[in-house]
């Protein structure tokens, strides 16, 4: 199993993380064991802005949502992707970690903002103290959308021109990486790393846009040890 690593997170003591490629065999327990974790918590992802917090102790989750926050050592939080944007967060004192799943629907519903606000409210951590890494996802080179989706971003965000590009009369290209970077920056997150891998272009990764429903998924996780 191969893992893509963040330059930022790799330098922080007490944190383990990884963005898998298509070599992930589906075993969360195996992935956790490779990094010294007892387990990796995940959600039933629904392309929403719902955020869940794990505190005090870990129980297997069957909740619906798209972001997980934890302050427990030995338990990772993870999201599954196959073109959507995985975002991993940790604060500068390495007391809290989070994993976010952000496709176009989650990005539109501001899942990144909801997670940052929950960390600030629940743990007293200012956004400026958070490190964020945007992992492998479909790139601006490949993410074509129609007017029906593009118009939703135009109606909701004033800065849409920074990540929504016109391609034809009724077609656009969405830069999912930039859209989420903008979202984090709006909330005051300053230390942001983007891993420039397009999952549709790169055959080492699963891609829903390229392979359809038969595609697999990656696990993207972060944890405190």
């Amino acid at each position: 199993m191969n893992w893509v690593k963040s330059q930022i997170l790799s330098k922080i003591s007490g944190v383990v993380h990884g963005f898998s490629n298509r070599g992930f065999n589906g075993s969360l327990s195996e992935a956790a064991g490779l990094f010294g974790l007892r387990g990796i918590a995940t959600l039933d992802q629904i392309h929403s802005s719902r955020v869940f917090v794990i505190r005090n102790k870990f129980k297997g989750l069957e909740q619906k949502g798209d972001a997980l926050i934890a302050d427990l050592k030995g338990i990772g939080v993870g999201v599954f992707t196959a073109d959507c944007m995985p975002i991993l967060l940790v604060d500068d004192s390495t007391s809290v970690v989070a994993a976010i799943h952000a496709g176009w629907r989650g990005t539109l519903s501001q899942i990144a903002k909801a997670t940052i606000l929950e960390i600030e409210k629940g743990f007293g951590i200012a956004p400026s103290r958070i490190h964020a890494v945007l992992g492998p996802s479909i790139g601006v080179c490949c993410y074509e959308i129609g007017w029906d989706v593009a118009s939703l971003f135009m109606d909701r965000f004033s800065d849409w021109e920074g990540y929504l590009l016109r391609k034809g009369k009724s077609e656009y290209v969405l830069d999912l990486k930039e859209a989420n970077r903008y979202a984090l920056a709006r909330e005051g997150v300053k230390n942001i790393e983007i891993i420039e891998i397009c999952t549709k272009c790169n055959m080492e990764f699963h891609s829903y846009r390229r392979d359809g429903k038969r595609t697999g998924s990656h696990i993207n996780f972060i944890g405190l040890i």
Side-chain angles (χ1 to χ4, degrees):
M1 198 183 314
N2 295 320
W3 299 91
V4 175
K5 293 297 191 69
S6 152
Q7 292 184 5
I8 289 176
L9 299 180
S10 296
K11 296 176 182 177
I12 301 176
S13 178
V15 174
V16 293
H17 77 284
F19 301 92
S20 80
N21 62 9
R22 65 190 308 141
F24 173 57
N25 63 9
S27 174
L28 290 176
S29 60
E30 182 179 332
L34 288 173
F35 291 86
L37 296 171
R38 298 193 303 278
I40 298 174
T42 60
L43 291 167
D44 180 5
Q45 297 169 192
I46 55 173
H47 298 277
S48 68
S49 60
R50 296 187 68 184
V51 182
F52 286 85
V53 181
I54 303 171
R55 303 191 78 160
N56 301 321
K57 59 182 179 179
F58 169 69
K59 294 181 179 180
L61 291 178
E62 296 181 356
Q63 302 280 6
K64 295 181 182 295
D66 289 276
L68 269 169
I69 302 170
D71 64 348
L72 300 176
K73 289 189 176 182
I75 297 297
V77 289
V79 292
F80 297 104
T81 58
D83 277 342
C84 291
M85 170 65 64
I87 305 172
L88 303 182
L89 308 176
V90 64
D91 69 302
D92 57 8
S93 62
T94 61
S95 59
V96 175
V97 292
I100 303 171
H101 163 251
W104 74 259
R105 291 178 180 85
T107 303
L108 182 68
S109 64
Q110 303 185 74
I111 182 67
K113 175 180 180 179
T115 307
I116 295 297
L117 292 179
E118 187 63 40
I119 292 174
E120 188 171 21
K121 180 180 73 173
F123 299 91
I125 297 170
S128 60
R129 293 176 50 198
I130 294 174
H131 304 283
V133 180
L134 283 59
S137 69
I138 193 166
V140 66
C141 49
C142 296
Y143 203 14
E144 298 176 2
I145 59 173
W147 166 251
D148 56 337
V149 174
S151 61
L152 298 175
F153 282 87
M154 293 177 182
D155 290 342
R156 181 159 296 186
F157 304 112
S158 61
D159 56 9
W160 61 268
E161 290 182 325
Y163 45 84
L164 194 59
L165 311 175
R166 189 73 176 262
K167 186 176 181 182
K169 291 184 178 180
S170 60
E171 291 186 342
Y172 290 78
V173 176
L174 176 62
D175 189 338
L176 198 58
K177 299 175 190 293
E178 276 296 288
N180 282 282
R181 186 184 69 79
Y182 270 63
L184 291 165
R186 282 189 219 114
E187 301 312 307
V189 180
K190 299 177 180 179
N191 196 359
I192 304 172
E193 177 186 352
I194 297 178
I195 296 177
E196 298 288 357
I197 293 175
C198 172
T199 48
K200 186 181 178 184
C201 286
N202 193 322
M203 295 300 295
E204 292 185 4
F205 293 84
H206 294 293
S207 170
Y208 183 83
R209 278 291 181 103
R210 185 186 64 232
D211 303 324
K213 293 182 179 180
R214 62 195 176 117
T215 193
S217 61
H218 317 115
I219 184 65
N220 314 272
F221 78 93
I222 185 168
L224 303 173
I225 57 171

